Amino acid sequence: MIKNVPSIEQLSKLIRMRRSVFPKEYIDREIKEADILTILENGNWAPTHRKTEPWRFKVVQGKRKLDLGNYLSNKYRENTPKEVFKQAKAEGIIHKAVRSNTIIGICMHYTEESAQPEWEEIAAVSCAVQNMWLSCVALGIGCYWSSPETIVKDKTFFQLGPEERCLGLFYMGYWEQRKIKAIRGNIKDKIEWIR
């Protein structure tokens, strides 16, 4: 038996504490670089078929958060018909970026010649994000994964190469940790035993 493994009760509690915490909840407190590296290292330990480790992370901080916010806001303005465009949304996109302490571009390296299908690599990156999310919970850091169409379809901001794509943005910041209720349906309604 492996020693010092968290109990199933501890693990279950951590998983069930996970929430999407949005930038409007974030407070002005710096996330230490060592904690960001721990979060990303835990992401790096996600399961991956054939050990391809397809995840790539772009860490956005400081003045570059405003650049990202302006980029996303301008793309929203360019791509939204005037009759549905909302100025408040355009401004909110910028505010969300600036209010975050750190934004991580969740990217993936994949080639058409790869030995496994693309969906497996996307699943591996998703597992990495779950590891990161749970690490944030353990550190008291709020976060959420957003996948605006602009950042997913356009490689410009992160200057991605032909074998890279972005799967979204992982917003992070400390927060006051008020209780956020979560509801899940009964697991028994989602299981079919085949015996």
Side-chain angles (χ1 to χ4, degrees), residues 56-113:
R56 300 293 185 271
F57 306 115
K58 312 289 185 181
V59 182
V60 183
Q61 294 180 311
K63 294 177 183 176
R64 293 308 309 271
K65 295 182 303 180
L66 177 59
D67 294 342
L68 177 58
N70 282 327
Y71 169 81
L72 293 170
S73 182
N74 288 337
K75 289 293 184 180
Y76 166 71
R77 187 181 309 275
E78 290 169 16
N79 298 323
T80 305
K82 288 182 181 179
E83 60 273 11
V84 293
F85 173 82
K86 294 184 172 106
Q87 182 63 30
K89 181 172 180 175
E91 292 169 6
I93 291 169
I94 297 169
H95 182 73
K96 181 166 56 173
V98 173
R99 185 117 175 111
S100 300
N101 177 266
T102 300
I103 305 164
I104 299 176
I106 303 297
C107 301
M108 179 180 79
H109 181 268
Y110 178 77
T111 64
E112 294 297 326
E113 296 79 33

Side-chain angles (χ1 to χ4, degrees), residues 154-165:
D154 186 14
K155 298 183 173 200
T156 308
F157 185 83
F158 289 125
Q159 300 177 352
L160 300 177
E163 296 178 347
E164 293 179 296
R165 64 183 280 202

Side-chain angles (χ1 to χ4, degrees), residues 131-145:
N131 284 3
M132 292 164 57
W133 212 320
L134 294 175
S135 299
C136 285
V137 173
L139 289 166
I141 297 168
C143 58
Y144 92 105
W145 184 3

Side-chain angles (χ1 to χ4, degrees), residues 191-195:
I191 299 172
E192 179 182 356
W193 298 96
I194 302 173
R195 297 176 170 155

